[in-house]
Amino acid sequence: MDKKNIDWSHLGFGYIKTDKRYVSNYTEGAWDEGALIEDDMITMSECACVLQYSQTIFEGLKAYTTENGKTVVFRPDLNAERLASSAKRMEMPVFPEERFIDAVEQVVRANEAYVPPYGTGATLYIRPYMFGINPVIGVKPADDFQFRVFATPVGPYFKGGAKPITIKVSDFDRAAPHGTGFIKAGLNYAMSLHAIVTAHKEGFDENMYLDAGTRTKVEETGGANFLFVTKDNKVVTPKSNSILPSITRRSLMTVAKEYLGLEVEEREVFFDEVKDFAECGLCGTAAVISPVGKIYDHGKEICFPAGMEKMGPVTQKLYDTLTGIQMGRIEDKFGWVREIK
């Protein structure tokens, strides 16, 4: 298939309308068959539950062109599983996991002309989401829901790609100890908007959120998990029941252990010990890994030995290995990559 006439190497991380999207409706206690449609507009009541009480959840994954020209997606089964977990917490019907994967594949196939060519650094970002659509004025869950999947070609999440970024310790809290921080709900991201706009105005790329209970432990940023490397090359990620279980982070920990032979540890990470790490990165679907060069903490700076010019050596190996698996350059030992045929 001929690709669209797009300047792939200079794409930002923004929305570009593609040809088809998938829609399935839940009414009278059941999902319909679902279908691909061309219309990107959504019509709903002014009193729809999603508009009144933010009953919405979403996922994010990518399609790639591999070195040998195949179109693939990465671990969509985990996205299906996580959406199901989010739905249960938000009192929404679970969209069957096998249908989730099929919907993703349909959307990628229908928009294959928008999957960037290999070597451009761009990818096709896929956004499955679900929301309560019927009118609700009393505070209660919706009865009717819509599940949709769209796709859009994107470039790097952070401008400048993998250049180390500077972040600040936020004065705001991301998630309460017994709240919804572990699910991918729109409301978790809405509360971070003021914090990220404030950080950008102050010259920072992102926020570091500490735990809301004690403000002594590292949690995550507004849209990514943290990954640290000790001076003896152990890979450490924070553990908390209010952190989103990032698929990229879980994959990187497996890569560290099984591909690179490194020691890995998921545990509580106290902010006081961050200064002792050799490397720091933010990991997630959008950016894979964005190296952190500096953390600003209310007048004090934590600078990582890796510096501000490039990724640290361990972070670079993790990035190269995971993207190598995704792009078909490195053997996929665990069947993570799913070809779109």
Side-chain angles (χ1 to χ4, degrees):
M1 176 181 289
D2 292 336
K3 299 295 183 182
K4 294 290 183 178
N5 185 22
I6 294 173
D7 186 0
W8 305 106
S9 297
H10 293 91
L11 275 176
F13 198 88
Y15 174 76
I16 296 173
K17 180 185 173 183
T18 53
D19 296 337
K20 297 288 182 77
R21 62 274 309 131
Y22 179 92
V23 180
S24 180
N25 291 292
Y26 182 91
T27 56
E28 298 181 356
W31 290 104
D32 66 16
E33 292 184 358
L36 288 172
I37 65 170
E38 293 184 2
D39 188 5
D40 62 324
M41 294 291 112
I42 299 172
T43 301
M44 69 180 83
S45 166
E46 62 186 350
C47 196
C49 190
V50 63
L51 300 179
Q52 304 307 316
Y53 302 120
S54 302
Q55 194 180 20
T56 178
I57 56 177
F58 69 99
E59 278 297 322
L61 63 160
K62 289 179 176 180
Y64 312 83
T65 301
T66 64
E67 190 174 36
N68 59 5
K70 295 179 179 179
T71 299
V72 303
V73 292
F74 184 71
R75 306 191 79 176
D77 55 315
L78 293 189
N79 292 98
E81 180 184 290
R82 192 168 62 183
L83 189 84
S85 175
S86 296
K88 292 171 184 174
R89 179 64 175 81
M90 290 288 285
E91 290 296 327
M92 304 171 81
V94 170
F95 193 73
E97 294 181 24
E98 66 278 3
R99 287 192 59 189
F100 176 101
I101 296 172
D102 178 63
V104 167
E105 291 185 340
Q106 286 189 51
V107 169
V108 175
R109 277 195 296 268
N111 297 293
E112 194 157 3
Y114 292 91
V115 180
Y118 174 79
T120 61
T123 54
L124 185 73
Y125 187 81
I126 306 158
R127 171 54 60 85
Y129 60 111
M130 186 197 304
F131 54 93
I133 197 168
N134 65 287
V136 173
I137 196 66
V139 181
K140 63 178 183 178
D143 297 311
D144 301 335
F145 297 85
Q146 190 167 100
F147 171 79
R148 298 175 72 101
V149 184
F150 70 82
T152 184
V154 298
Y157 187 72
F158 290 103
K159 293 179 181 179
K163 183 179 178 180
I165 61 176
T166 300
I167 66 176
K168 63 170 288 191
V169 177
S170 180
D171 293 322
F172 300 98
D173 295 326
R174 177 189 165 271
H178 302 288
T180 56
F182 68 98
I183 65 169
K184 208 164 176 66
L187 55 88
N188 290 338
Y189 294 78
M191 60 70 53
S192 73
L193 297 179
H194 176 65
I196 191 63
V197 169
T198 300
H200 288 167
K201 285 180 178 177
E202 294 174 354
F204 302 100
D205 297 290
E206 251 293 2
N207 288 291
M208 170 182 277
Y209 290 105
L210 305 180
D211 72 293
T214 69
R215 296 193 61 79
T216 62
K217 291 172 281 190
V218 176
E219 293 240 308
E220 58 175 298
T221 69
N225 282 187
F226 276 101
L227 181 148
F228 299 100
V229 180
T230 66
K231 291 173 182 175
D232 58 355
N233 293 340
K234 180 191 293 184
V235 181
V236 179
T237 60
K239 183 177 183 179
S240 165
N241 60 10
S242 57
I243 291 176
L244 186 76
S246 164
I247 294 164
T248 303
R249 187 256 301 161
R250 285 180 276 171
S251 302
L252 286 167
M253 294 297 274
T254 301
V255 164
K257 183 178 180 181
E258 302 297 337
Y259 280 80
L260 302 179
L262 300 174
E263 187 177 352
V264 301
E265 188 175 24
E266 183 183 2
R267 61 169 174 81
E268 290 185 336
V269 174
F270 286 87
F271 180 68
D272 285 348
E273 62 180 302
V274 168
K275 65 183 183 303
D276 299 320
F277 289 116
E279 300 176 37
C280 173
L282 309 183
C283 54
T285 299
V288 184
I289 306 179
S290 291
V292 176
K294 185 188 298 181
I295 298 173
Y296 183 84
D297 175 30
H298 302 89
K300 296 176 289 185
E301 291 183 346
I302 298 172
C303 298
F304 294 97
M308 289 296 293
E309 298 303 317
K310 60 182 181 179
M311 281 191 182
V314 174
T315 305
Q316 187 70 61
K317 287 179 184 177
L318 289 168
Y319 177 87
D320 290 345
T321 306
L322 184 61
T323 56
I325 294 167
Q326 292 170 335
M327 297 295 179
R329 298 188 297 267
I330 294 175
E331 180 189 358
D332 176 16
K333 295 180 181 179
F334 301 104
W336 288 344
V337 175
R338 187 180 184 97
E339 184 179 356
I340 306 297
K341 299 179 180 179

